[in-house]
Amino acid sequence: MKGQPRGTVLVSACLLGAPCRYDGRDKANPSLKTLLEGRIPVPVCPEQLGGLPTPRPPAGLVGGDGFDVLNGTAKVIDDRGRDVTEQFKQGARAALLLARSSGARSCILKARSPSCGVRGLTGVTAALCILEGLEVLEL
Ligand code: SF4
C-alpha cells in the first residue's frame, strides 16, 4: 500500500541535517526525501559514535581504504597527526549495531568521507556495512 513504511534504513546523520561534520556543519541533501519515501531513517554519525568531538580535526585514510583499516593494514590519521583509527572502527561497529537492532538492511551514506564514503576510497563504516551484507548507497 502506498505510504506504508517499507522498513528502516541507516542514514548518515549529516545528510539528514544534523550538524555533525568535522567542521560542525551539516550536509543536508534534498534528494533524500524521495529515497526515504515510505521508509524510516535511522540517523547515525559513526565519528561521533566512535567518541570523537564536533567540531574535530579532519581525518583521512592512510595506507589503504576502510577494508584495510578493518583488517589492520591501514590507519585513520587526523590533520594534527593523531591516530584516530580505533575511534573510526568503534564508530563503524556502533553504526552496524544500530542497523542490526533497528532491522535496517540498507544504508544511505555520505560520499567522500573516511567513514561513510563508498566509491573511490571506501570509508570504514561503509566497508563494514558492505562486509556485513547491507545494501549500501551513497549520496
Ligand atoms: S559523513 Fe558520516 S561520519 Fe562524517 S559527519 Fe556525516 S555521518 Fe558523521
Side-chain angles (χ1 to χ4, degrees):
M1 185 194 300
K2 198 171 189 305
Q4 187 85 1
R6 286 184 281 134
T8 50
V9 54
L10 209 66
V11 183
S12 293
C14 58
L15 291 176
L16 286 163
C20 55
R21 295 186 74 211
Y22 70 91
D23 57 5
R25 302 174 77 163
D26 67 80
K27 197 69 179 175
N29 190 317
S31 310
L32 259 185
K33 193 170 184 287
T34 312
L35 285 170
L36 289 176
E37 206 168 312
R39 303 167 94 185
I40 300 165
V42 178
V44 290
C45 176
E47 292 173 26
Q48 288 187 333
L49 288 172
L52 293 169
T54 304
R56 54 189 170 276
L61 298 161
V62 175
D65 60 12
F67 296 103
D68 300 315
V69 170
L70 293 172
N71 71 28
T73 60
K75 289 183 177 301
V76 189
I77 307 289
D78 73 19
D79 73 350
R80 295 175 190 172
R82 183 171 164 235
D83 187 335
V84 288
T85 305
E86 279 312 309
Q87 288 92 330
F88 272 63
K89 287 165 74 172
Q90 187 182 319
R93 289 192 294 265
L96 181 67
L97 199 63
L98 277 167
R100 294 287 183 241
S101 60
S102 66
R105 301 291 310 141
S106 61
C107 38
I108 302 172
L109 300 176
K110 157 82 176 57
R112 295 180 297 282
S113 151
S115 289
C116 297
V118 180
R119 287 191 290 274
L121 217 52
T122 303
V124 182
T125 294
L128 187 60
C129 288
I130 291 167
L131 288 172
E132 292 293 324
L134 273 78
E135 181 192 359
V136 177
L137 176 77
E138 77 172 358
L139 271 185

